[in-house]
Amino acid sequence: MNILLTGGAGYIGSHTCVALAQAGFHPVVLDNFSNSSPEVLARLEKILGRPVVLERGDILDTAWVEQVLRRHAPAGVMHFAGDKAVGESVAQPLKYFHNNIGGSISLLRAMASVHAAQGAWTTPALVFSSSATVYGDPASVPITEDFPRSHTNPYGHTKLVIEDMLAAVQRSAPDWRVGVLRYFNPVGAHPSGLIGEDPNGIPNNLMPYVTQVAVGRRERLSVYGSDYPTRDGTGVRDYIHVMDLAEGHVAALQHLLQAGESFTVNLGTGLGNSVLEVVRAVEQASGRPIPYQLAPRRAGDVAECYADPTRARELLGWKARRSLQDMCTDAWRWQSANPDGYRTGAA
């Protein structure tokens, strides 16, 4: 059973590719490598022991996406493609609106076109990579799916708009099945150390920056905000192991294919850890000190954000199983084996 993964060579997409294959599906990776590396495919083939199908191109090219769908007739689509850095979205909002919203429109138009063709496809099933940023600055924690939605940055705004687009598509075409997954903070790496998070340039997310400091690639970490109303003054987030997240995607897809009902769920652990707690956990995993300096808050950041994952457990039978220490140990294994990311060369 083929499953199309847009942005499938990216951080979350590549790990989901492994989880899908291990669950008996046949992943088809669609990527233009604007924020990923072709080396990922070679690494995936080492993990899986077989070739991975690649369609190289841009999701904004609707006609080409339609051809890909016709070629592979996937039973479902997982939509990861898009830009994802909060800080960059504040600095370059038009880039985020164009790539994230425009790319999603292109994908949906292609899916609708193929679905409309007689006998070309069955009922569309789509798992969408959303984000906890759609909750804006929440009034309280833990966050349930029923919390009011808002946004504090253009990245979160794009996710909110795409969620609304998907809801409108479902109202117009009730046979569409859509699973919206609101991620909290994915970290870690595959336990093999072959694939992991490898951002272009200076990392925008905490974990890769901390591990790059540990491996000597960065001099020190800047901790943005030390005066938040949290237990140590630094921001608190719900960090979730990327393999738990990947397995959550498989559970979501299986529910869409079997139960045929659409849903929205949080994917998180239900626990919050501060920036300094993550730093200490990486120090323990690596056996190395992490130099850091305190810096002003970043625009668009919030004090605390962690999930109530009850709905995912009850609806999908899924829960996060890996600890913060597991996340840091696996992230360090990846970073120490690949100090320059995928540019290190084949492992």
Side-chain angles (χ1 to χ4, degrees), residues 270-327:
L271 302 171
N273 290 104
S274 73
V275 173
L276 293 182
E277 287 168 346
V278 172
V279 168
R280 288 192 289 271
V282 174
E283 287 181 330
Q284 183 176 340
S286 66
R288 301 183 180 189
I290 308 295
Y292 68 86
Q293 61 187 10
L294 302 179
R297 299 182 186 187
R298 288 186 304 189
D301 280 349
V302 300
E304 282 191 292
C305 185
Y306 59 92
D308 179 341
T310 302
R311 185 179 293 180
R313 183 177 68 248
E314 293 177 349
L315 186 68
L316 307 180
W318 170 90
K319 66 178 294 185
R321 299 182 291 111
R322 298 163 177 88
S323 69
L324 177 64
Q325 204 56 54
D326 294 331
M327 302 173 208

Side-chain angles (χ1 to χ4, degrees), residues 174-347:
D175 57 337
W176 281 56
R177 293 169 287 181
V178 176
V180 173
L181 306 183
R182 292 175 179 162
Y183 306 170
F184 279 66
N185 292 72
V187 296
H190 189 267
S192 67
L194 286 168
I195 58 173
E197 188 170 10
D198 182 27
N200 290 334
I202 298 173
N204 289 287
N205 295 328
L206 176 64
M207 185 67 78
Y209 204 110
V210 175
T211 57
Q212 286 185 16
V213 171
V215 84
R217 191 168 159 188
R218 308 283 169 193
E219 183 179 358
R220 63 173 53 86
L221 170 72
S222 291
V223 177
Y224 294 103
S226 57
D227 58 349
Y228 286 111
T230 61
R231 51 186 171 268
D232 62 17
T234 63
V236 169
R237 298 291 182 270
D238 188 336
Y239 296 98
I240 176 174
H241 197 294
V242 67
M243 288 309 301
D244 278 330
L245 190 67
E247 291 162 6
H249 284 75
V250 175
L253 176 69
Q254 290 171 331
H255 187 79
L256 286 180
L257 296 179
Q258 294 166 10
E261 61 178 3
S262 298
F263 58 86
T264 297
V265 297
N266 291 332
L267 292 186
T269 66
L271 302 171
N273 290 104
S274 73
V275 173
L276 293 182
E277 287 168 346
V278 172
V279 168
R280 288 192 289 271
V282 174
E283 287 181 330
Q284 183 176 340
S286 66
R288 301 183 180 189
I290 308 295
Y292 68 86
Q293 61 187 10
L294 302 179
R297 299 182 186 187
R298 288 186 304 189
D301 280 349
V302 300
E304 282 191 292
C305 185
Y306 59 92
D308 179 341
T310 302
R311 185 179 293 180
R313 183 177 68 248
E314 293 177 349
L315 186 68
L316 307 180
W318 170 90
K319 66 178 294 185
R321 299 182 291 111
R322 298 163 177 88
S323 69
L324 177 64
Q325 204 56 54
D326 294 331
M327 302 173 208
C328 295
T329 297
D330 288 340
W332 174 244
R333 183 183 298 112
W334 151 257
Q335 191 70 75
S336 58
N338 304 271
D340 295 313
Y342 291 110
R343 291 163 295 284
T344 300

Side-chain angles (χ1 to χ4, degrees), residues 57-263:
D58 197 323
I59 195 172
L60 287 162
D61 185 344
T62 308
W64 175 76
V65 175
E66 185 175 332
Q67 292 171 10
V68 170
L69 291 169
R70 292 183 185 279
R71 231 181 340 264
H72 298 284
V77 176
M78 291 188 172
H79 182 29
F80 300 101
D83 295 319
K84 62 176 185 177
V86 168
E88 183 187 52
S89 79
V90 174
Q92 301 182 54
L94 293 180
K95 176 185 178 185
Y96 278 68
F97 296 141
H98 177 72
N99 290 343
N100 293 7
I101 297 175
S104 297
I105 291 172
S106 178
L107 173 65
L108 293 172
R109 288 181 63 194
M111 291 178 67
S113 176
V114 173
H115 179 44
Q118 184 67 32
W121 203 7
T122 55
T123 303
L126 175 68
V127 177
F128 173 57
S129 168
S130 192
S131 167
T133 55
V134 300
Y135 296 117
D137 190 352
S140 62
V141 287
I143 299 167
T144 71
E145 293 85 353
D146 301 321
F147 270 39
R149 295 180 311 145
S150 62
H151 58 84
T152 61
N153 55 72
Y155 166 70
H157 193 178
T158 66
K159 293 295 187 181
L160 196 154
V161 169
I162 296 165
E163 284 194 9
D164 287 345
M165 287 198 310
L166 291 172
V169 168
Q170 287 179 269
R171 286 192 294 270
S172 68
D175 57 337
W176 281 56
R177 293 169 287 181
V178 176
V180 173
L181 306 183
R182 292 175 179 162
Y183 306 170
F184 279 66
N185 292 72
V187 296
H190 189 267
S192 67
L194 286 168
I195 58 173
E197 188 170 10
D198 182 27
N200 290 334
I202 298 173
N204 289 287
N205 295 328
L206 176 64
M207 185 67 78
Y209 204 110
V210 175
T211 57
Q212 286 185 16
V213 171
V215 84
R217 191 168 159 188
R218 308 283 169 193
E219 183 179 358
R220 63 173 53 86
L221 170 72
S222 291
V223 177
Y224 294 103
S226 57
D227 58 349
Y228 286 111
T230 61
R231 51 186 171 268
D232 62 17
T234 63
V236 169
R237 298 291 182 270
D238 188 336
Y239 296 98
I240 176 174
H241 197 294
V242 67
M243 288 309 301
D244 278 330
L245 190 67
E247 291 162 6
H249 284 75
V250 175
L253 176 69
Q254 290 171 331
H255 187 79
L256 286 180
L257 296 179
Q258 294 166 10
E261 61 178 3
S262 298
F263 58 86

